[in-house]
Amino acid sequence: MPNQQSKAHRVGEWASLRNTSPEIAEAIFEVANYDEKEAERIWEEGSDDVLERAFQKTDKDELFWGEQTIERKNV
């Protein structure tokens, strides 16, 4: 079973490859229970739950989900 450090590295790398904010990637993986196939599905389809979780992890007003900018005020 992967430890927290390896999970964080994998999520960070995954986020970087997809031009996605680390907070969103982390929230995606939490919702997907760290299942990469499920994470990919969520990333492609979107999720309001993911956005709420992601903004709870930061005080930033904008996060990136691929080529889309998500503003806190719209969540």
Side-chain angles (χ1 to χ4, degrees):
M1 172 158 269
N3 64 25
Q4 286 303 107
Q5 187 175 11
S6 69
K7 282 183 182 179
H9 173 73
R10 186 174 88 198
V11 171
E13 186 176 300
W14 191 91
S16 179
L17 290 171
R18 288 163 181 78
N19 249 359
T20 297
S21 297
E23 297 87 353
I24 288 180
E26 186 178 335
I28 287 172
F29 271 86
E30 287 173 2
V31 170
N33 292 316
Y34 291 89
D35 178 310
E36 206 156 333
K37 273 188 173 177
E38 180 65 9
E40 189 68 34
R41 184 193 67 73
I42 293 168
W43 186 81
E44 289 175 2
E45 294 178 8
S47 166
D48 290 340
D49 184 35
V50 164
L51 292 175
E52 289 174 17
R53 286 178 183 237
F55 278 108
Q56 288 174 0
K57 297 175 181 300
T58 185
D59 59 355
K60 296 176 185 173
D61 290 326
E62 294 181 342
L63 296 175
F64 300 94
W65 190 316
E67 295 181 11
Q68 189 174 20
T69 300
I70 311 295
E71 294 183 17
R72 180 183 295 275
K73 67 182 179 183
N74 295 330
V75 174

